[in-house]
Amino acid sequence: MGAIAGAWQWLTTVANWAGEKGVWHRLGEHVYLSALCLALACLIALPVALWLGHIGKGGALAVNLSNVGRAVPTFAVLVLLTLTPLGTRGDWPTIIALVLFAVPPLLTNAYLGMREADRDVVEAARGMGMSGPQLLLRVEIPLAYPLIMTGLRSATVQVVATATLAALAGGGGLGRIITAGFGNYDTAQVVAGALLVAVLALLVEGVLVLADRLFDPMRGRRRGRRATKGTGPGPGADGPGGSVGDDEVVALGKPA
Amino acid sequence: MTAQAAVAQVGGPGAVQAAGPGGAPAGGSSCLQTNDWICGEYVRSRGQELVDATVQHIGITAVSVLIGLLVAFPLALAARRWRAAAGPVLGLTTVLYTVPSLAMFALLTPVFGVSAAVVVTGLVMYSLTILVRNILAGLEAVPTEVREAARGMGYGSVRLLFGVELPLAVPALVAGLRIATVSTVAMTTIGSVVGYGGLGNLIASGMEGFFKAEVLTASVLCVLLALTADLLLLGLQRLLTPWTRERAPGRTRARRGARTAKGVA
């Protein structure tokens, strides 16, 4: 347990938090990169997924994209992009790689959410004279919300994790503390950096679970429907990670 | 002190690579000198290195997935048997899943020193999330009638599990196994941080020496490895479940359950 004591000592040393290579600066880089890439990925993936889901086409694309994404090693893509002429343009290799890996879970989940929205309800809404946009905004998206949010969660976790890998390819972010620790033969710093990254990832996941519950448009109304569906592992299976049903198995991204 | 060895490991191949693109190797062909992305000469001259890395990659992946399966099975059974265990088991594996791999490997280094065990342990932890959920979903999707019928025929709980429930859960189980294997193949590359990353080692050393052919070849091999493993597992599933092929129209509930659990895989 010497490593933990060393890590604690490293973390409580004020000098390690300040400056260009300090924790605060790296944390800022990490959060900035993650947020930027997530926003870009949402801008790309969500409109496409919602539209494809609305018209009911492109299912094969949406579903297979996620499988292909899982087979491609993040690290390889980062390094490949770094070695292209893009590598001289600062953060661009990292940003492109992160967006590339955030799009599949977002797209697949939003699409599946749209398709799995209760068809009877959608037809009823259409029968009531709702127009296409009304149907999309007031029926399909609220019904697809849980899966869209699951996609957003796995994309976010993935982006935060992948931003760590950027350090391996010379980018910024919290991963730098770990790689610098490896470079200086400083086990205490390696463990301290790893703890910081792990805590950040868990914190982000926790915040997202809370946001998910808070903003659910059908809050309190969904329970009954879920219970009748009955394909999930049951009510006892809910872990701190949020609802753990078949949805989640579908939606799990790949940690990087 | 363990980090020292790690850097020695990572630095090792890098030092060798430095002779690659920069300092034109003996009898250097043009594509090595111009540092092309695709280079047959690289594959020819470094064939042994590629084979070694691929073997290490396959070994690490296979061991990780097998151990993952061995750990996940009892966990899934426990979660099914005792409702109180389900929450903690699923919660803990989910929490493990959110820890970034670089952090996971770094955190495990003080425990195991710099060894393949660090990579394998990290990968096992990641595979647990997917495997436990899929095994659980597969077992729960077995129709009650089937279970009752087997009990009526005098099956005990062990024979019921291995003779009836498990075979019916195979599609869901293999679906989870495929996801776990494919992502494990991809994630093994991060093991290069402690020198046990299989093809990831080549990617890392190629990056240090700015050796394009090495990076691209290793990356492509890695993707091919993932796809091959996926296809092999699909073939295995077809071998194990001959009954699913004959009844296309009247799907059993177990199969439908498997399809939902399988999701996008």
Side-chain angles (χ1 to χ4, degrees), chain B residues 78-135:
Chain B
R80 187 177 69 139
R81 187 85 174 69
W82 300 286
R83 270 280 124 90
V89 164
L90 290 174
L92 187 70
T93 51
T94 313
V95 165
L96 285 176
Y97 206 78
T98 53
V99 177
S101 51
L102 185 60
M104 180 79 93
F105 292 155
L107 278 174
L108 288 171
T109 322
V111 183
F112 292 102
V114 172
S115 63
V118 168
V119 185
V120 169
T121 311
L123 292 174
V124 165
M125 287 182 177
Y126 286 127
S127 67
L128 283 185
T129 317
I130 302 164
L131 290 176
V132 169
R133 284 203 183 143
N134 275 275
I135 297 173

Side-chain angles (χ1 to χ4, degrees), chain A residues 67 168 182 202 233 244 249 253 256, chain B residues 7 97-98 101 133 207 261 264:
Chain A
N67 293 336
L168 288 180
F182 271 120
L202 295 177
V244 177
V249 179
Chain B
V7 174
Y97 206 78
T98 53
S101 51
R133 284 203 183 143
M207 179 183 69
V264 295

Side-chain angles (χ1 to χ4, degrees), chain A residues 132-205:
Chain A
Q134 272 179 328
L135 197 66
L136 187 73
L137 283 177
R138 293 173 56 186
V139 179
E140 287 178 315
I141 293 183
L143 282 176
Y145 176 86
L147 266 186
I148 296 179
M149 278 308 282
T150 323
L152 189 65
R153 263 169 56 195
S154 58
T156 311
V157 170
Q158 200 156 310
V159 163
V160 170
T162 316
T164 314
L165 289 189
L168 288 180
L174 279 178
R176 264 300 176 88
I177 297 173
I178 299 177
T179 50
F182 271 120
N184 296 331
Y185 317 121
D186 186 349
T187 312
Q189 187 181 342
V190 170
V191 175
L195 283 175
L196 283 170
V197 172
V199 168
L200 178 72
L202 295 177
L203 212 63
V204 168
E205 170 79 7

Side-chain angles (χ1 to χ4, degrees), chain A residues 112-122 139-148 150 216-232 243 247:
Chain A
L112 286 179
M114 293 290 287
R115 293 318 298 162
E116 279 174 15
D118 198 332
R119 289 339 283 174
D120 295 342
V121 177
V122 174
V139 179
E140 287 178 315
I141 293 183
L143 282 176
Y145 176 86
L147 266 186
I148 296 179
T150 323
D216 190 339
M218 314 247 305
R219 196 151 44 123
R221 271 178 279 172
R222 208 179 293 280
R223 195 169 293 273
R225 203 172 64 87
R226 273 271 164 87
T228 53
K229 231 166 110 186
T231 45
S243 70
D247 293 356

Side-chain angles (χ1 to χ4, degrees), chain A residues 1 3-4 63-64 66-67 70-77 79-84 108 112 153 157 160-162 164-165 167-170 175-176 178-179 181-187 190-191 193-195 197-198 201-202 205 231-241 244-246 248-256, chain B residues 1-8 37 83 86-88 90-92 94-107 109-111 114 126 129-130 133-134 136-137 140 178-180 182-183 185-187 189-190 192-194 200-201 203-204 206-207 210-212 215-216 219 222-223 226-227 257 260-265:
Chain A
M1 286 298 101
I4 301 290
V63 170
N64 284 322
S66 173
N67 293 336
R70 205 177 278 124
V72 180
T74 322
F75 178 43
V77 172
V79 173
L80 281 172
L81 286 172
T82 314
L83 293 192
T84 60
T108 307
L112 286 179
R153 263 169 56 195
V157 170
V160 170
T162 316
T164 314
L165 289 189
L168 288 180
R176 264 300 176 88
I178 299 177
T179 50
F182 271 120
N184 296 331
Y185 317 121
D186 186 349
T187 312
V190 170
V191 175
L195 283 175
V197 172
L202 295 177
E205 170 79 7
T231 45
D238 271 12
V244 177
D246 289 345
E248 199 106 358
V249 179
V250 170
L252 276 170
K254 168 190 66 162
Chain B
M1 284 313 96
T2 46
Q4 224 153 358
V7 174
W37 284 105
R83 270 280 124 90
L90 290 174
L92 187 70
T94 313
V95 165
L96 285 176
Y97 206 78
T98 53
V99 177
S101 51
L102 185 60
M104 180 79 93
F105 292 155
L107 278 174
T109 322
V111 183
V114 172
Y126 286 127
T129 317
I130 302 164
R133 284 203 183 143
N134 275 275
L136 203 56
E140 303 226 321
R178 283 172 62 197
I179 301 179
V182 168
S183 28
V185 169
M187 253 188 300
T189 52
I190 318 292
S192 67
V193 72
V194 287
N201 288 349
I203 298 175
M207 179 183 69
F210 216 80
F211 193 172
K212 290 177 178 171
V215 173
L216 187 68
S219 306
C222 201
V223 174
L227 297 180
T260 22
K262 178 182 167 180
V264 295

